[in-house]
Amino acid sequence: MKRVGVLALQGDFERHLAVLAALGRPGVEVRTPADLGRVGALIIPGGESTTLLKFFDADRWWGPLAGFARTRPVMGTCAGAILMASEVTHPPQPSLGLLPMTVERNAYGRQLDSFETDLKDHALGGGPLPAVFIRAPKILKAGEGVEVLARHRGRTVMARMGRHLALTFHPELTGDDRVHRYFLEVAANP
Ligand code: GLN
């Protein structure tokens, strides 16, 4: 399989590349739409979705990303998940619509702005899964065909539809590589 690309415009892309390298599967920085042609799967990291949207408009990412996602796997974390949703609220903003789900930005309020927790309700196996939430969104509703892979307090925080994965937390900050290994499996058998 071609290497996994990490969208390297803004946000936490370096830590994702570090996790992939530690797994013996070094990734590739994707900095221009043309770079998508060199990778077999893509990670859209957390960061600030509004900033990423400015890049998407300025450098004409929309068509190439939509085309890429039609046949290849994409994993979005936090801001990346916001960009993958079909509907964004608080406030509304454009998104790629790779999974039928509605996402509310900055949904945990000030006191819980950022927190770390161990997810017990998840499908990856191997016991509690550490997760870091940073100004995280909430998945308010998910449509038909969306598989829930992890929940926090009953609410979906990791979802899959076919070859696409969306999670509202940062898996690259915990030292636990299960989410990345899961995505590599998805990418190997999309
Ligand atoms: N609050 C950010 C946004 O709405 C996402 C935060 C993150 O990616 N950690 O884009």
Side-chain angles (χ1 to χ4, degrees), residues 6-17:
V6 182
L7 193 66
L9 301 175
Q10 188 265 342
D12 200 23
F13 56 88
E14 279 173 1
R15 295 293 287 265
H16 282 285
L17 289 163

Side-chain angles (χ1 to χ4, degrees), residues 91-149:
Q93 65 185 33
S95 51
L96 290 160
L98 304 186
L99 292 92
M101 62 180 195
T102 302
V103 161
E104 179 188 352
R105 294 181 58 212
N106 301 318
Y108 285 89
R110 275 211 194 135
Q111 269 179 326
L112 276 181
D113 209 358
S114 300
F115 60 98
E116 184 163 359
T117 188
D118 285 326
L119 303 173
K120 290 173 193 80
D121 183 2
H122 69 86
L124 301 191
L129 181 71
V132 177
F133 291 79
I134 304 170
R135 300 187 66 223
K138 280 182 181 169
I139 298 173
L140 299 184
K141 61 175 192 240
E144 211 169 306
V146 176
E147 188 186 344
V148 174
L149 293 177

Side-chain angles (χ1 to χ4, degrees), residues 40-124:
L42 182 70
I43 295 175
I44 306 181
E48 192 54 46
S49 58
T50 51
T51 307
L52 285 161
L53 284 175
K54 287 187 187 136
F55 283 103
F56 282 13
D57 288 338
D59 300 327
R60 298 168 188 262
W61 281 92
W62 292 101
L65 277 174
F68 181 88
R70 265 197 283 281
T71 54
R72 279 156 291 184
V74 179
M75 173 168 87
T77 66
C78 205
I82 295 171
L83 292 168
M84 291 175 78
S86 54
E87 187 185 7
V88 180
T89 67
H90 192 226
Q93 65 185 33
S95 51
L96 290 160
L98 304 186
L99 292 92
M101 62 180 195
T102 302
V103 161
E104 179 188 352
R105 294 181 58 212
N106 301 318
Y108 285 89
R110 275 211 194 135
Q111 269 179 326
L112 276 181
D113 209 358
S114 300
F115 60 98
E116 184 163 359
T117 188
D118 285 326
L119 303 173
K120 290 173 193 80
D121 183 2
H122 69 86
L124 301 191

Side-chain angles (χ1 to χ4, degrees), residues 5-9 28-33 35-36 38-39 42 61:
V6 182
L7 193 66
L9 301 175
V28 180
E29 286 186 9
V30 171
R31 293 188 172 273
T32 67
D35 291 340
L36 288 171
R38 300 195 290 130
V39 302
L42 182 70
W61 281 92

